[in-house]
Amino acid sequence: MAEEINSFPQVLTIAGTDSGGGAGIMADLKTFQMQGVFGTAVVVAVTAQNTLGVQASHLLPLEMIDEQCASLAADFKIRATKTGMLGNAAHVHQVALNLQKYDFGPVTVDPVMVAKGGAHLLSEDAITTVKKELLPLANLVTPNLPEAQVLTGITVTSQQQYPDLARSLQDMGVKNVLIKGGHSTTEEVRDFALLEDGSSFWVSSPRTHTKRTHGTGDTLAAAITAQLALGHNLATAIKLAKQYVTKTIEQTIQVGHGHGPLNHWAK
C-alpha cells in the first residue's frame, strides 16, 4: 500500500535559490512542474539576485543540508536528482556525503560556476572537491564550455574537441557527459553527449539571439532529471530536455532589465 501511495514520480534539486525567479531552485521547480513530476528541494544557499546579477549570497549551515536530506529520505521516493549551485568545498563535500547515504536515484550534476551576470557561484577550492567527490557519484554531468574547460584543463578552440573534453570528464569517474555549446559563436547551438557505453550523439537547435537566457543550464539539467524520473532512458531524456529548453528561449517573456529568464510555460 505504501508503494502505491508514493508512486507519483518525485525528483529533487540540491542547489541555491534565485530571488529573481529565473535560475537555481526556482527554475528547477518550474521545470519539474512543466515536465509533470513532483519537485522537492534541498537549499544549499540563498542569493539576492535579479536579472542584473547576484548582489549577495549566503550559504546555509552544513547541518541544514543533512536535515533536509534526511527529511526527504524519510517520506519521499525520489527517482532522480540534480545538483546546481553548491558554493564552497565544505558544502560540496556535505552534499556528496548525503548522496552516498541516501538513494535519491540517478544524479545529474550541473557544475554551476559563474552566473550570467558574471558572479562566481563556486569557490576555487570547491572545484577540486567537485572533481574528486561529486563527479564519481554522478550519472550525468552537464557543463557548459567554460565549465568543461575549467574541470578538465583543456583549452577548446573548435567543436571538434568536444569529444576529447567529454572523454576527459569520463576519466574523472562520471558515467555520462553532456557538453553544452551555448557559449560558442555558431548560428547552430550544438551539444555533445557521450554515454557510458561509448556511444555519442549531438543535439542541436538554431540560435535565438536574445539576452533572455538566464537559467538555461539549470532548466536543461532539471528537464533531464524529470524525464529520467518519468522512465525515459538518458539519450531520450537529453533530447526531450533540449527540445523543451529551445522552446523556452524561442518563446521569450519580457521580465527584468538584464539577462532575462526563460519562458518555462513554453510548449
Side-chain angles (χ1 to χ4, degrees):
M1 187 64 179
E3 184 65 24
E4 182 181 344
I5 290 172
N6 220 8
S7 61
F8 194 85
Q10 300 153 50
V11 294
L12 166 63
T13 171
I14 304 174
T17 66
D18 174 2
S19 55
I25 284 174
M26 281 64 170
D28 294 340
L29 293 176
K30 291 173 184 177
T31 302
F32 293 156
Q33 192 80 5
M34 290 303 297
Q35 301 296 305
V37 299
F38 182 83
T40 65
V42 168
V43 180
V44 174
V46 177
T47 69
Q49 186 175 170
N50 54 28
T51 66
L52 300 173
V54 179
Q55 290 80 44
S57 64
H58 173 69
L59 287 164
L60 268 63
L62 295 175
E63 56 268 25
M64 269 305 296
I65 295 174
D66 295 340
E67 293 291 349
Q68 290 176 89
C69 288
S71 182
L72 295 179
D75 189 31
F76 298 96
K77 183 175 176 57
I78 305 297
R79 295 191 188 180
T81 297
K82 67 149 292 206
T83 67
M85 173 191 174
L86 299 180
N88 64 20
H91 285 72
V92 173
H93 174 69
Q94 207 69 21
V95 167
L97 288 179
N98 280 279
L99 290 175
Q100 290 173 296
K101 184 175 182 179
Y102 304 111
D103 180 9
F104 288 146
V107 178
T108 295
V109 172
D110 183 17
V112 179
M113 295 182 184
V114 181
K116 276 288 187 295
H120 285 263
L121 301 177
L122 190 68
S123 65
E124 288 296 326
D125 61 339
I127 294 171
T128 299
T129 311
V130 166
K131 291 194 287 187
K132 290 185 175 180
E133 298 186 30
L134 198 58
L135 291 190
L137 302 176
N139 179 62
L140 173 70
V141 64
T142 61
N144 58 33
L145 190 54
E147 290 162 350
Q149 291 181 115
V150 169
L151 288 170
T152 63
I154 298 173
T155 301
V156 172
T157 56
S158 74
Q159 290 181 339
Q160 282 68 40
Q161 292 172 273
Y162 284 17
D164 293 332
L165 271 178
R167 281 189 290 270
S168 181
L169 285 164
Q170 269 192 344
D171 289 342
M172 295 177 187
V174 63
K175 298 178 180 69
N176 304 282
V177 180
L178 179 65
I179 306 289
K180 297 175 294 192
H183 282 74
S184 68
T185 57
T186 58
E187 284 303 301
E188 186 179 40
V189 179
R190 302 181 75 213
D191 306 337
F192 177 77
L194 176 63
L195 303 187
E196 185 178 14
D197 63 6
S199 63
S200 62
F201 60 91
W202 294 83
V203 285
S204 62
S205 62
R207 183 177 298 279
T208 299
H209 292 278
T210 175
K211 284 179 66 178
R212 304 188 181 278
T213 57
H214 181 52
T216 303
D218 301 318
T219 299
L220 179 66
I224 292 170
T225 302
Q227 293 301 325
L228 290 174
L230 290 169
H232 292 294
N233 64 40
L234 182 57
T236 301
I238 289 172
K239 292 170 185 176
L240 290 173
K242 174 73 170 180
Q243 291 172 14
Y244 172 66
V245 171
T246 299
K247 293 299 180 185
T248 66
I249 297 173
E250 289 176 348
Q251 300 173 23
T252 59
I253 52 175
Q254 305 303 306
V255 175
H257 294 82
H259 292 281
L262 309 179
N263 175 12
H264 287 96
W265 292 288
K267 297 290 186 180

